[in-house]
Amino acid sequence: MAARASAFLALLICLSTTALIRAEDPYLFFTWNVTYGTISPLGVPQQGILINNQFPGPNINSTTNNNIVINIFNNLDEPVLFSWNGIQHRKNSWQDGMPGTTCPIQPGTNYTYHFQVKDQIGSYFYFPSTAFHKAAGGFGGLRVNSRLLIPVPFADPEEDYTVLIGDWYTKDHKALRSVLDSGRSINRPDGVLINGKSSKGADKNEPLFSMKPGKTYRYRICNVGIKSTLNFRIQGHMMKLVEMDGSHVVQNTYDSLDVHVGQCYSVLVTADQEPRDYYMVASSRFIKESTNATGLIRYEGSSAPASPVLPEAPTSLIWSLNQFRSFRWNLTASAARPNPQGSYHYGGINITRTIKIVNSASKVDGKLRYAINGVSHNNPETPLKLAEYFQVPEKVFKYNTIADEPTAESETKITVSPNVLNATFRDFVEIIFENHEKSMQSYHLDGYSFFAVAIEAGKWTPEKRKNYNLLDAVSRHTIQVYPGTWAAIMLTFDNAGMWNLRSNLWEKYYLGQQMYFSVLSPARSLRDEYNIPDNYTMCGLVKDLPKPPPYTI
């Protein structure tokens, strides 16, 4: 009898172990119908891009390690792709949704993205990466909540709100694209939106959010615009910063925050003022003629209107730079990150390579182009990643068209070609961004989070490393570069794939201020990178080629 019980117990243990081995992280399924629709966010009817008839698009609410499956039906009259700003797609650049990695979804067809928000938490957004579609909408919030077994460094808020701020043009995306294609600039935006609305809309007196007196709320603020740094503030309320670009931070309190294009901040706001309406304000920074948008927050049970006196925005660049320097990574918080205990000592790792990037602008054949180290990127018909995977890159692009440092010639002369730089797998590198222009710059790197260790005025030299924050710089995916300054980031190229580094200023992105890092694993192993998905759309030179042998362990 005892032997039979022992055998039964062993069988149960075996079955339990098998179940654990086969268990998968949860799946979230979405179906998106992407269409045009008439919108009037600044009071002028124009063509916008809607997702399931929504502008902005629906929020994606997920949890760390969830599998996200999105079936997208393209009912536009142009090819489209969607990218997921800040989602790292570990080992899976196939799902990044950039023109250098993915064949676009043709009109009248559908494509299913499947990616995992692996080992990440925080506030992100998605957007259309093709043509000039981002200027028409098609963007929405994407949040990744911490799993219940991993505590966050603050109490659960009463509610969790997404606030999408961004500049806006009254011309539609095709008209803006036509201006750029003709060789001219699109100049300043016409206004600012908060969650697709402005103070010029018919529903301007309807609250965007509500708060109960005495309760604390989380606001996830993302700049989804295409050109302008925006200052965000809430009338009469302080904001406790708790997370940015996927990292918990030391919890300082601010009366306003400069949110640069492509960045996301999470703040806690307590409803500790007199019950009434209060304005949220987002206003443009670093341009001569500032524009703003307001949105109402209403205390529940109150009908008192908001004060017409709006809180003023800061005016100086130094204020913004000092605010950047106040941001610190929270090393004591548990979270999905390089080391859960916060002991990832990036400052003690030897730098194996320094890449210096200088942005420039000039005319090529009479038309305006923007460049990185003298090369203005254009997208070939065959996505770079596909050409590389099918082992025919030489038919599509050349590696290392730019050097690790710009030359005197590269700052005045621009070459138009695909811009791909080789990166050695698992190298620890330093990237310096120098902005010699008079306008703001914002850079984003797909597939990674990096340590933003310094921003300073002037030009970078190796001696400047003594001023780096080598202890608790925030791990993030987007870095601003003020006019006449440089910014330094550090990261390990440990995510195999083809990854886009771009200016978040969409005029500059569209006209070539972007590039790709090719991070190849020598082993061609599934331990380092996933195989091409079975449902992948083929296009260009590789459309009819046989698939290469799949990666194996």
Side-chain angles (χ1 to χ4, degrees), residues 497-516:
M498 183 74 71
W499 302 108
N500 184 245
L501 172 71
R502 61 180 172 271
S503 170
N504 279 319
L505 281 63
W506 225 239
E507 172 183 18
K508 297 183 176 184
Y509 161 84
Y510 180 78
L511 292 180
Q513 208 156 76
Q514 56 170 309
M515 58 176 287
Y516 285 82

Side-chain angles (χ1 to χ4, degrees), residues 45-258:
Q46 62 188 121
Q47 184 187 71
I49 293 178
L50 313 181
I51 299 176
N52 296 346
N53 291 319
Q54 297 179 47
F55 170 77
N59 281 322
I60 296 175
N61 189 18
S62 66
T63 299
T64 301
N65 291 353
N66 281 176
N67 289 279
I68 297 177
V69 181
I70 306 176
N71 189 3
I72 296 177
F73 289 83
N74 178 14
N75 288 301
L76 307 181
D77 59 0
E78 297 180 318
V80 73
L81 283 173
F82 284 86
S83 193
W84 324 93
N85 198 76
I87 301 302
Q88 292 178 21
H89 302 291
R90 302 297 298 178
K91 306 193 296 185
N92 198 12
S93 65
W94 303 112
Q95 304 296 338
D96 196 33
M98 294 300 293
T101 61
T102 313
C103 297
I105 309 168
Q106 296 299 318
T109 68
N110 68 299
Y111 179 75
T112 301
Y113 288 91
H114 176 193
F115 58 90
Q116 188 177 24
V117 286
K118 182 72 174 169
D119 296 332
Q120 288 188 261
I121 56 96
S123 309
Y124 310 96
F125 64 89
Y126 60 84
F127 66 93
S129 61
T130 38
F132 212 62
H133 292 140
K134 195 182 181 193
F139 48 74
L142 197 171
R143 69 178 62 160
V144 184
N145 303 300
S146 182
R147 290 181 292 172
L148 292 178
L149 56 87
I150 300 177
V152 296
F154 50 87
D156 289 342
E158 182 72 11
E159 290 286 349
D160 194 327
Y161 294 136
T162 295
V163 185
L164 303 178
I165 60 176
D167 50 19
W168 194 258
Y169 290 79
T170 52
K171 289 183 179 179
D172 71 28
H173 66 104
K174 291 182 179 179
L176 293 172
R177 189 171 74 203
S178 177
V179 170
L180 295 174
D181 289 342
S182 71
R184 296 172 291 144
S185 169
I186 56 176
N187 297 319
R188 287 192 296 269
D190 298 302
V192 175
L193 305 183
I194 301 177
N195 282 7
K197 302 176 186 293
S198 73
S199 53
K200 298 180 181 179
D203 54 355
K204 62 183 179 181
N205 294 322
E206 292 299 315
L208 292 177
F209 306 107
S210 63
M211 297 198 297
K212 297 176 182 177
K215 299 295 185 180
T216 297
Y217 295 77
R218 180 174 185 172
Y219 289 84
R220 300 174 187 256
I221 308 148
C222 294
N223 187 338
V224 298
I226 63 173
K227 194 162 188 172
S228 307
T229 292
L230 299 176
N231 181 267
F232 181 84
R233 52 212 184 269
I234 300 176
Q235 195 177 49
H237 293 75
M238 299 297 287
M239 300 179 291
K240 181 183 287 186
L241 184 64
V242 295
E243 175 256 332
M244 66 170 63
D245 290 353
S247 288
H248 290 134
V249 296
V250 173
Q251 296 178 10
N252 295 322
T253 301
Y254 302 88
D255 57 7
S256 73
L257 286 165
D258 273 356

Side-chain angles (χ1 to χ4, degrees), residues 247-419:
S247 288
H248 290 134
V249 296
V250 173
Q251 296 178 10
N252 295 322
T253 301
Y254 302 88
D255 57 7
S256 73
L257 286 165
D258 273 356
V259 189
H260 306 276
V261 184
Q263 294 178 348
C264 291
Y265 295 162
S266 277
V267 299
L268 298 180
V269 178
T270 300
D272 56 4
Q273 301 299 306
E274 174 192 350
R276 62 183 308 148
D277 288 357
Y278 293 89
Y279 282 118
M280 294 184 295
V281 186
S283 57
S284 53
R285 292 270 275 136
F286 312 121
I287 58 175
K288 290 182 180 179
E289 298 177 16
S290 178
T291 57
N292 69 48
T294 58
L296 284 175
I297 298 175
R298 177 163 294 168
Y299 275 54
E300 288 189 8
S302 170
S303 58
S307 166
V309 180
L310 300 180
E312 293 186 1
T315 56
S316 74
L317 184 152
I318 296 299
W319 182 95
S320 187
L321 179 55
N322 286 336
Q323 184 171 85
F324 163 80
R325 289 170 175 163
S326 73
F327 299 149
R328 292 289 185 268
W329 204 21
N330 188 339
L331 299 181
T332 63
S334 297
R337 62 195 197 178
N339 185 306
Q341 286 73 45
S343 58
Y344 184 61
H345 298 302
Y346 66 93
I349 304 174
N350 290 329
I351 297 168
T352 58
R353 182 179 183 185
T354 297
I355 301 169
K356 185 177 177 182
I357 285 174
V358 174
N359 46 279
S360 62
S362 187
K363 288 193 174 181
V364 178
D365 298 329
K367 294 185 178 183
L368 178 64
R369 296 292 300 188
Y370 294 94
I372 287 175
N373 291 4
V375 175
S376 184
H377 176 81
N378 64 349
N379 291 306
E381 182 182 355
T382 306
L384 308 167
K385 177 62 180 173
L386 275 180
E388 190 173 70
Y389 186 79
F390 278 82
Q391 300 177 31
V392 290
E394 70 283 351
K395 296 182 179 180
V396 178
F397 65 91
K398 292 181 180 179
Y399 290 107
N400 304 325
T401 304
I402 63 171
D404 284 5
E405 287 219 22
T407 63
E409 182 184 29
S410 70
E411 291 202 48
T412 57
K413 181 182 177 182
I414 287 179
T415 301
V416 179
S417 77
N419 196 358

